Amino acid sequence: MTTIGIALLGVGTIGSAVWRTIVEERESLAQRTGFRLEVRWGLARHRERVVGVGLPAQAATTTIEPILEDPSVDVVVEVMGGEEPAATYIKDALEAGKHVVTANKEAVSKHLAELVATARRARRALLFEASVGAGIPLMVSLRQLLTVNRIERIRGIVNGTTNFILTAMAEEGIPYQEALREAQRLGYAEPDPTADVEGHDAAYKLSILASLAASRHIRPEAVVRRGITTITPDQILDARARGGAIKLIAHAEGSDGDWRLRVEPVFVPGSDLLAHVRRNLNAIELTGDRVGTIVLYGPGAGPTPTASAIVADVIDAVRFGDALLPSVAAAP
Ligand SMILES: NC(=O)c1ccc[n+]([C@@H]2O[C@H](COP(=O)([O-])OP(=O)(O)OC[C@H]3O[C@@H](n4cnc5c(N)ncnc54)[C@H](OP(=O)(O)O)[C@@H]3O)[C@@H](O)[C@H]2O)c1
């Protein structure tokens, strides 16, 4: 039995779910994989948050240094969110010889090429399955498809918050502001919903998927982006009357050096699977030149599915190391 020492950067919604998954599944994970997972550190802005999750007081830190210096930490799990200091901590951890697993779409989409290059130099794993689609195995699927296929198109619903709002507007006949308040009340939308409703979150996710498909870093600024804040009840009703729905669709299409990415609310006819994706669910179509179009569908957010992907990445990081690093050239 090999022990994997883990440091959690962040013990919020996702970090605490990762901790719970490790504690609750420790024995079955050990039996299934041969690895025993031990959380050595929890990093937060406030120490009491770490202790509140259930970690011992001596495992709490507000700075990264003790984690970087601890030889018993094999894998750093970054679940703080935001661009900085997360991106710097990821690089520091790789350079200190740790594998890194992250769920941070913003840091990954803005720094993908340099993070992969750092991991390659350090000969360490960098896995980010949970950054897009939470528990939906998108990175695993893309990796498998890309062995044989050229991916020509990625199209889907990658933001559960906006899909929940658009579904509520269509099915309950309520205006945008009321649907947003309902999403906030149920915990599907943040108090500041800008990143979701203006399409930034979807743009980060699309940029990650398209960068992997193109083997080249396509920055989130390259995504033509429009949010859902100006969608009116009339537009929603009109779409329903035509047998379809308005959906915030992330769409990337291209080949070789020429890729076009956009995130925008569009009419989706009833004959299209994506028209029937309700509430906070996600669905992503991947089109390869040999496999054709496949669709991955499921909960694209939430602590338990996200932690499932993160814990699986932790084990893959130790099993496969840098062998799973994608090929991603720097953006021109
Ligand atoms: N929520 C989801 O369903 C979901 C799904 C997929 C991916 N993700 C991604 O997972 C990541 C974490 O999301 P979350 O919902 O768990 O966030 P969260 O609840 O806000 O938790 C963030 C944690 O990081 C700590 N933190 C933030 N900035 C810090 C800093 N500068 N120094 C030290 N600690 C810092 C916070 O410390 P304090 O506790 O002391 O404030 C908190 O413990 C994000 O990248 C998010 O996009 C989330």
Side-chain angles (χ1 to χ4, degrees):
M1 187 72 64
T2 309
T3 298
I4 303 179
I6 296 165
L8 295 176
L9 310 188
V11 291
T13 308
I14 303 304
S16 58
V18 171
W19 159 254
R20 272 197 310 280
T21 304
I22 289 172
V23 170
E24 289 166 13
E25 300 292 338
R26 183 168 281 131
E27 294 312 319
S28 64
L29 280 167
Q31 270 175 17
R32 269 185 245 141
T33 69
F35 292 106
R36 177 166 284 277
L37 274 53
E38 296 287 350
V39 178
R40 313 262 194 226
W41 293 97
L43 170 103
R45 278 179 291 233
H46 313 95
R47 297 179 85 87
E48 57 275 22
R49 286 292 295 271
V50 180
V51 178
V53 165
L55 277 149
Q58 64 271 22
T61 177
T62 55
T63 61
I64 185 93
E65 284 72 23
I67 293 171
L68 300 180
E69 288 162 11
D70 183 348
S72 77
V73 172
D74 305 295
V75 184
V76 166
V77 174
E78 187 278 304
V79 280
M80 298 163 51
E83 182 179 2
E84 290 294 354
T88 300
Y89 286 1
I90 293 172
K91 269 185 280 175
D92 290 347
L94 290 166
E95 283 166 355
K98 318 294 185 195
H99 301 298
V100 173
V101 170
T102 176
N104 187 334
K105 64 217 84 166
E106 183 175 357
V108 172
S109 76
K110 290 181 177 171
H111 297 275
L112 182 60
E114 78 186 277
L115 294 179
V116 169
T118 306
R120 188 157 279 127
R121 274 196 305 276
R123 307 186 70 179
R124 288 296 175 271
L126 172 69
L127 293 172
F128 41 90
E129 179 67 72
S131 65
V132 188
I136 304 173
L138 273 162
M139 306 298 155
V140 170
S141 305
L142 262 178
R143 196 184 301 136
Q144 197 260 15
L145 293 175
L146 280 165
T147 307
V148 179
N149 288 257
R150 264 181 298 275
I151 300 294
E152 298 166 332
R153 194 177 71 160
I154 297 160
R155 175 177 174 268
I157 294 168
V158 293
N159 181 271
T161 305
T162 45
N163 201 55
F164 180 90
I165 292 170
L166 292 172
T167 307
M169 288 175 75
E171 295 183 5
E172 296 167 39
I174 55 178
Y176 168 76
Q177 284 298 342
E178 201 178 325
L180 170 61
R181 277 196 297 279
E182 189 177 331
Q184 286 169 326
R185 188 174 55 78
L186 294 170
Y188 294 137
E190 301 281 335
D192 175 0
T194 313
D196 290 318
V197 299
E198 297 293 357
H200 295 286
D201 175 89
Y204 295 147
K205 292 167 175 169
L206 186 64
S207 112
I208 295 172
L209 296 175
S211 296
L212 296 175
S215 298
R216 175 173 66 85
H217 188 188
I218 304 174
R219 293 184 186 282
E221 304 87 75
V223 181
V224 175
R225 176 183 51 77
R226 202 154 55 84
I228 63 161
T229 53
T230 56
I231 300 292
T232 64
D234 281 349
Q235 288 169 306
I236 298 270
L237 285 180
D238 178 58
R240 280 207 108 180
R242 292 160 63 200
I246 293 187
K247 295 289 185 189
L248 185 71
I249 299 293
H251 188 124
E253 198 156 359
S255 60
D256 303 324
D258 180 28
W259 276 75
R260 289 164 307 284
L261 281 64
R262 56 181 198 271
V263 167
E264 59 188 351
V266 294
F267 173 74
V268 180
S271 55
D272 188 326
L273 262 176
L274 297 185
H276 305 283
V277 177
R278 295 178 62 244
R279 292 174 64 85
N280 59 334
L281 290 159
N282 284 189
I284 298 95
E285 289 176 4
L286 302 173
T287 303
D289 60 345
R290 300 214 163 254
V291 74
T293 296
I294 63 151
V295 186
L296 291 134
Y297 171 79
T304 309
T306 306
S308 158
I310 289 172
V311 173
D313 269 359
V314 166
I315 288 165
D316 279 355
V318 173
R319 271 188 181 151
F320 302 113
D322 62 351
L324 298 182
L325 283 174
S327 144
V328 184

